[in-house]
Amino acid sequence: MRNLRLVRRETPLAGGQFRAVLVGVVIALLVGVILLLATGNNPVSTYLRMLDGAFGSPRAWSNTLTRAVPLGLAGLAVAVAGSMGLWNIGAEGQIIAGAIGAAWVARLAPDLAGPLLIPLMLLGAVLGGAVLALGPALARARLGVSEIITTLMLNEVAIRIVRYLVNGPWKDPEGNNFPIAPEIPDQAKLPGLFERANIGVLIAAVVVGLFGWLVSRSAWGYELRIAGSSERTAEYVGISLRTKILTVLVMSGMFAGLAGGIELTGSASRLVEGVAGGWGFAGIIVAALALMRPSGVAAVAVAFGAVQIGGLSIQTQGVPAAIADILQALILFGALAAAVFGNYKLVRGEPATTLDTAGGAA
Amino acid sequence: MVNLWPDYPWGGPATIAFGAYSRHGGTRGTLVAPAQGQAVELDNIWKRFPGVIANAGASLRVKHGSVHAVLGENGAGKTTLMNVLAGVYRPDEGTLKLHGEDQSFAAPADAIAAGVGMVHQEFRLVPTFSVTENVVLGAAPRVLNRSALEDQVAALAERFGLATDPRREVWQLSMGERQRVEILKALWRDARVLILDEPTAVLTPVEAEELGRITAAMAADGRSIIFISHKLDEVTAFCDEATVLRGGETVAGNLAVSDLDAGRLGELMVGEATAVSQRRVRTTQPGASALDVTELRVVDLHGRHIVDGVSLSIASGEVLGIAGIAGNGQRPLADALAGLIPSTGSVQSGIHDLSSASPNERHRRGLSYVPEDRIGVGLAPRLSVADNAIMRTYRTDAQGLLIDQDKSVAHAKDLVERFNVKIADLHSPIAGLSGGNLQRLLVGREVDGNPTVLIAAQPTRGLDVQGVAAIQRVLLEQAEAGVAILLISEDLDELLALSDRLAVMHEGKIVAEFDPDKTTRGDVGVAMTGAVHAEGASA
Amino acid sequence: MNEQTLIGLVIAIIEFGTLLYLAALGELIAEKAGVLNLGVEGMMAFGGMAAFWAGVETGNPWIALVVAAIAGTALAAVHAVISVVLGADQVVSGLALTILGLAMAAFLGKDLVSKPVGTQFRELDLGPLSDIPWIGETLFSMSALSWLALALGVATWFVFTRTSTGLALRAVGESAATADAAGLPVVRTRVIAVMIGGALAGMSGAYLTLLLAPGWSEGTTAGRGWIAVALVIFGAWRPGRVLIGALLFGGLIALEPRLQTFGVEISPILLSMLPYLLTIGVLILLSIRSRNRPSAAPAAIGQTWRREER
């Protein structure tokens, strides 16, 4: 044991990252089997039922895709920031801020026609997310304050703002004293697509696809990737880091905000405290599994949407839906661990010779 | 004992005099403790790394209570040999004895326990810890009595003339003071053998002089000091004996420093057979002035002028070399000229005033820059070869918002072929490339697009022989093609070989300028210390 | 307002302060060794569930406390292996740990939700001391866990500033390469620090489910773990200041339901944002202050360390 240690491979394993995700899935499913057996459930039938609940019918597909919307947009938010080496841990709060922004527009102009009101609400949502991300963005760009903690803290602030609104000024007078806001007007709801899915799925697909493409193909995205690889290289090439940090973090907030807007105008139809549903945090895992590449977010988001919807569908059997969250976290842990072995190998032997050659040996 | 170590009786005194802090001249006999045999005996050490033999039968004998210089060019295997002695590497072959006893180190901790201390070039200190905390770290009593420890550290410091305040935090200290803390760390662990890896590189002349006194005091205390260097002047000033390494082998052991001759020593270090950089042969004459810098100043965070009123001009087709001990303003000079850090003064390139231009604009006006840190400044490590190749052209080659993929790949392919960069795949990250290939890519990218001025900072540092030759060839081709080149290097031979004019920087100023055809390493070396304005200096 | 409400407030401050301090102290130890662990919320929930389960099974609060500490340690070990031993990103790993901890607590604790409380910590009766007016009713009546938290705080301070162990731990968190060169075991130190952090977060969870809000339900941690993360920053990584911060933030939580009693016309919900906003403020002040000097944060926090990459 003492002699085991990690040594960097001279060339990373080909396709190591993809394999790592597969390993993560396998590990997660195996641990899940243990947990299910320990709680007296049949793992095989549980997994099959989850699969059926997620993909078994058009309705299942519609649920899965609907859930993939906030996951994908939050994942995009995290991945766009992550391409530049920034952490937006605040997607959860920005989703809430987006939902608040959209709800606010609906309150201000409840009588506008749908084709006008819906875009305005989504704009309000985007702005809401941007506003919440602006503070951390400024603090990071101007003062160098770590955006990890500031965005994290603002999640809790956003939760309390929405709690305040639905318990106070925006509380539905006809809501039987529940902490909910009034339902948005009918014409403000997103048109349906199929079964339970609405056109939010299309909007999210376009946004995620477009920005995934832009990050990998545009000059703007190229600069982002340079800055993410090395800030000093970015300065050397003449990229203004401050502007970049500011725009990227605010843009990241906008994506998460849009998720909140689609949620409100789509499935939720009224502002409630749990409007973000933990999807902002799940989005971080989505982005991490997509290796912070916006182009990979969509696929992971659909997969995670399936895990979550599958988890919900087994609740009727008495298996807690939390199994979905457990699987998600374990997939990530498994993939993180496996990814390390794509770049490193486990070796037994004397540690001294593994050190890099010093300058004298070059 | 069989004497494997014949003396090399060369006549003539050392050519560079450092009377101010020389250990020699009357005091020598008293400073060295009575001979009690060898403190260190490294015999026939072999150490191979993938693709490189760092030590090929190197040997080293250090007498008890002496200051012993280990000399050699970059890549001679000095650092590897010292890392073997410090327990960082385990040798593939060879034996190590300390004070006559066989030793085998599995880890640095073993070497520390055996009384070997090493002061690395980059200090290993915790900035937010006090001097005392740094000194006792890893070798402290279970419960710390602060004031008692501080007194002990102060007493230890006083004993060897290492003036430091044990209560101050390290981030507040100068580089010289930090080095003293490192030495104190070794002494606190009662190191009997102390390795100083190029200790004067970061020091001011006054601090270096101080270090000479400290090493003498430690030797007088019966400790053995190994002083790694590639500078003859320090060796003659501080050391008793010297061992010269070349190509991983010991080419001369235990030379008496008082008998050293710069010419012979240089020959030993460089080797007669090794092709030294070829002196540049001009076929064209310098043209009009391409870069004019007047009174350039850079102020650091602490308000110090790290570039202090530098004026220079370079004609097109001309190579201006900048020599100097590391940390005398060469790096900020280059960064300021490239526009990466703020500066005052005027920078003119032809008709363009670049004094306040952005890095981008400077590059557009024909100023290219090969920075000292290839990876992390000049190149982005996680991006692919293709992505790194287009850093200077993506703006002009873009099609609207988008990068032209075909053009970018074609451009990368072109650079890779023209500059002989060996890569596996255009689309895999550059992090896996060797130093030589990285530098070929970087230099190639910077000279592509016909710059008028090229700033090259340490362009051949750490490269293998072919790499050095390839980069130097590119630089000379560029000069022939009419590019004005500012060449900053720590390799004096390279500077002497490639430059048309050679300026020396010291403490942020240009203190001397030489004609490389009419000067010697020694003259330039003296100017680098800033102590003397050498004859023949025309600046 | 009468005397009894005020005493009630002080007791509540101590109780919430204890909850936050235990968890924050654990996070402080991990961060001082250079490891950010954003899994506090998850470890707290998992520890709380485990403690409640053990309480139901054994009826002994101390056994329950130990079980909670073990549960927290076990979760923290996942973070330690992933982010310290294998060197994955600390931020991602910590957040995933929160998700895992909350979900595991919900999953395994499903049948505990309706269960009656098996055991709980009670106020400590220190005899005549507890009879002193005011101080006796508050400080000298607080539970043994509050005393334990205080003792752990003092012990942490002592270890950090007065022992070689603490010096080594801080060195590992400031500069792993320096610590390694001094012969200190970087990875082992970090792993142990993270696991101690997990144990304390688990104990904090036990305090929640066995004293502060006896019982188990999903969501009972209600974001308190994030406050613990905030507290470490608010207290500028010092055990003493973190204690002050814990009492302050604990006080804000304690005030929430009492605002109306005191006749203050602010929504308690808005008041509950203050800890997070104050932490952001402190973070900004710290970064302005550290322009010309090293930051108060451990310099190596968030950084993976492997010996070969020196």
Side-chain angles (χ1 to χ4, degrees), chain C residues 31-120:
Chain C
E31 289 192 19
K32 269 289 186 186
V35 186
L36 179 68
N37 187 353
L38 294 179
V40 183
E41 178 85 1
M43 298 188 296
M44 213 190 225
F46 192 57
M49 185 279 298
F52 186 78
W53 169 79
V56 169
E57 295 292 320
T58 69
N60 182 327
W62 294 102
I63 293 177
L65 184 71
V66 171
V67 169
I70 293 171
T73 308
L75 266 194
V78 175
H79 183 60
V81 168
I82 298 287
S83 75
V84 178
V85 179
L86 295 177
D89 192 279
Q90 295 175 7
V91 174
V92 177
S93 170
L95 287 167
L97 193 70
T98 284
I99 294 176
L100 182 66
L102 288 171
M104 292 273 280
F107 186 81
L108 296 174
K110 186 179 75 99
D111 297 332
L112 294 174
V113 176
S114 49
K115 284 255 167 70
V117 179
T119 179
Q120 69 187 86

Side-chain angles (χ1 to χ4, degrees), chain B residues 7-139:
Chain B
D7 289 328
Y8 289 83
W10 302 308
T15 49
I16 307 169
F18 281 80
Y21 49 99
S22 174
R23 291 190 55 199
H24 312 303
T27 56
R28 181 179 167 78
T30 58
L31 276 172
V32 180
Q36 292 163 350
Q38 308 289 348
V40 176
E41 293 164 83
L42 281 161
D43 270 325
N44 193 32
I45 301 292
W46 285 78
K47 183 68 194 169
R48 302 170 187 89
F49 295 106
V52 151
I53 300 177
N55 283 156
S59 299
L60 174 68
R61 306 248 150 140
V62 179
K63 287 200 185 81
H64 187 83
S66 72
V67 182
H68 193 111
V70 174
L71 287 147
E73 297 271 291
N74 284 335
K78 294 172 300 197
T79 308
T80 305
L81 189 63
M82 290 307 112
N83 278 327
V84 167
L85 179 53
V88 177
Y89 301 144
R90 191 182 282 192
D92 300 331
E93 279 175 49
T95 57
L96 160 59
K97 283 186 190 175
L98 288 180
H99 310 290
E101 286 179 28
D102 279 317
Q103 303 282 351
S104 169
F105 300 147
D110 297 343
I112 293 170
V116 178
M118 182 155 176
V119 176
H120 293 269
Q121 268 176 287
E122 297 105 37
F123 299 147
R124 303 276 168 80
L125 297 171
V126 180
T128 50
F129 278 15
S130 72
V131 169
T132 302
E133 287 177 320
N134 268 292
V135 168
V136 305
L137 181 65

Side-chain angles (χ1 to χ4, degrees), chain B residues 350-367:
Chain B
I351 55 162
H352 304 293
D353 180 6
L354 302 178
S355 309
S356 54
S358 67
N360 222 348
E361 188 181 343
R362 286 178 205 233
H363 184 259
R364 265 207 319 277
R365 300 294 186 202
L367 192 144

Side-chain angles (χ1 to χ4, degrees), chain A residues 236-270:
Chain A
Y236 167 83
V237 182
I239 298 165
S240 164
L241 275 179
R242 281 188 173 186
T243 319
K244 214 80 184 166
I245 289 171
L246 199 68
T247 50
V248 165
L249 277 180
V250 169
M251 185 176 276
S252 172
M254 288 176 166
F255 295 135
L258 179 63
I262 292 179
E263 195 57 28
L264 189 87
T265 54
S267 338
S269 75
R270 65 166 85 218

Side-chain angles (χ1 to χ4, degrees), chain A residues 10 213-214 216-220 222-223 225-226 228-230 232-233 235-239 350-353 355-362, chain B residues 47 49 52 54 75 77 79-80 88-90 331 340 369 373 376-377 379-382 387 390-392 394-395 401-403 405 445-446 462:
Chain A
E10 280 181 26
W213 185 64
L214 281 178
S216 60
R217 288 299 168 89
S218 73
W220 172 81
Y222 174 67
E223 291 181 348
R225 287 182 289 125
I226 294 179
S229 182
S230 159
R232 290 170 64 207
T233 305
E235 283 169 346
Y236 167 83
V237 182
I239 298 165
E350 75 179 79
T353 53
L355 294 167
D356 273 348
T357 60
Chain B
K47 183 68 194 169
F49 295 106
V52 151
T79 308
T80 305
V88 177
Y89 301 144
R90 191 182 282 192
R331 187 187 189 127
L340 301 188
Y369 180 28
D373 292 330
V377 177
L379 301 166
R382 289 207 293 267
D387 278 347
I390 59 166
M391 262 175 205
R392 294 299 199 181
Y394 74 93
R395 287 190 182 90
L401 274 178
L402 298 184
I403 284 184
Q405 297 293 317
R445 187 190 72 203
E446 288 305 301

